[in-house]
Structure formats: C-alpha cells, structure tokens
C-alpha cells in the first residue's frame, strides 16, 4: 500500500521541534504524510473507531497526550472521546515520514505502554 508514489500522499502535519526534542530526536525535520488509501487500510483492518478520526490526524500530531519511539517509529496518542494511537514510520527509500496506521486504544493499554517506557505522558503547558 505504501509503495505508492509521492503524488498519492497527502501532507498532514509537521511534528513540532519541541516534541522531537522531548523524544530525543533533535535535529530531525519530520513532515508527515498519509496515503490517500489510509481510510481503506483502516477499514480493511477493522479500525472503524480510528477511521472516524482521519481528519483529526493533524491534531494528534500537533497536540498528542502521549508520545514515544520504538523500532524507529514515532508513536503518538491523543485522547478525544476515544483514545487514538497513531504510528509514524519513515520510508527510507523515499525519505518520507508517513502515517503507518492508527487505531483506538484503551486507557489500560496506554498505562501499560507508559509503565514499560514505550510511551510517556506529555505535559500540557
């Protein structure tokens, strides 16, 4: 699905420098794109709740409540009525960051990720 050309990608947001510093990713410039086929990807994987938040991807990237990195991915969680987990990956061949997937996540899972160090709660200033 993500082997599509750049013309099939839509720019959604740039990760704030302050968030990148919080994640020890200083010096990176992370402009995030999503595939035009992301909705189909979410529906195919039965991520129906997350699909409702497709238009909120910029909000998730700009104002996450939790953030972390694992396996070269940036992981963000934003708590709306539902808590939405969003994963950002780097397509090394194209040098492009893209939304790999998103899904709803329960508070107990967020707490588990925080205990393990995978995510950390971000301060709201």
């Amino acid at each position: 699905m993500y082997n599509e050309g750049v013309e099939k990608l839509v720019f959604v947001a740039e990760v704030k420098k302050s968030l990148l510093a919080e994640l020890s990713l200083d010096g990176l410039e992370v402009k995030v794109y999503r595939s035009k086929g992301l909705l189909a990807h979410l529906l195919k994987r039965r991520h129906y709740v997350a699909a409702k938040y497709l238009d909120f991807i910029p909000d998730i990237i700009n104002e996450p409540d939790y953030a972390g990195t694992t396996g070269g991915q940036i992981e963000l969680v934003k708590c709306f009525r539902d808590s939405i987990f969003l994963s950002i990956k780097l397509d090394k061949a194209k040098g492009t960051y893209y939304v790999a997937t998103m899904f709803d996540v329960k508070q107990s899972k967020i707490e588990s990720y925080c205990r393990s160090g995978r995510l950390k709660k971000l301060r709201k200033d």
Side-chain angles (χ1 to χ4, degrees):
M1 176 173 143
Y2 292 104
N3 293 335
E4 301 167 341
V6 174
E7 65 278 355
K8 301 214 178 183
L9 296 176
V10 178
F11 174 77
V12 287
E14 184 169 351
V15 179
K16 293 180 179 178
K17 301 278 185 214
S18 57
L19 177 57
L20 292 171
E22 181 89 22
L23 297 173
S24 301
L25 298 173
D26 310 75
L28 281 182
E29 183 177 310
V30 180
K31 292 183 179 182
V32 183
Y33 297 82
R34 72 165 181 86
S35 166
K36 289 182 180 177
L38 181 59
L39 179 59
H41 165 82
L42 296 174
L43 296 175
K44 181 177 178 182
R45 282 160 182 75
R46 297 191 170 120
H47 297 313
Y48 304 121
V49 174
K52 296 187 302 187
Y53 292 92
L54 194 66
D55 292 335
F56 292 90
I57 291 174
D59 297 324
I60 298 167
I61 293 170
N62 289 320
E63 296 295 330
D65 295 309
Y66 299 86
T69 59
T70 186
Q73 299 176 87
I74 299 172
E75 297 179 333
L76 306 171
V77 174
K78 178 75 175 167
C79 301
F80 299 100
R81 172 172 276 174
D82 304 292
S83 295
I84 303 299
F85 184 101
L86 183 138
S87 177
I88 300 169
K89 286 186 176 180
L90 172 64
D91 179 334
K92 292 180 182 173
K94 295 185 177 87
T96 304
Y97 289 91
Y98 65 94
V99 175
T101 194
M102 57 190 286
F103 52 88
D104 63 306
V105 63
K106 298 201 178 312
Q107 188 62 36
S108 59
K109 182 56 92 174
I110 295 170
E111 291 166 7
S112 172
Y113 286 160
C114 288
R115 281 192 303 274
S116 73
R118 182 172 176 173
L119 291 176
K120 62 180 168 180
K121 185 166 179 54
L122 301 174
R123 290 189 348 233
K124 297 294 176 187
D125 295 332

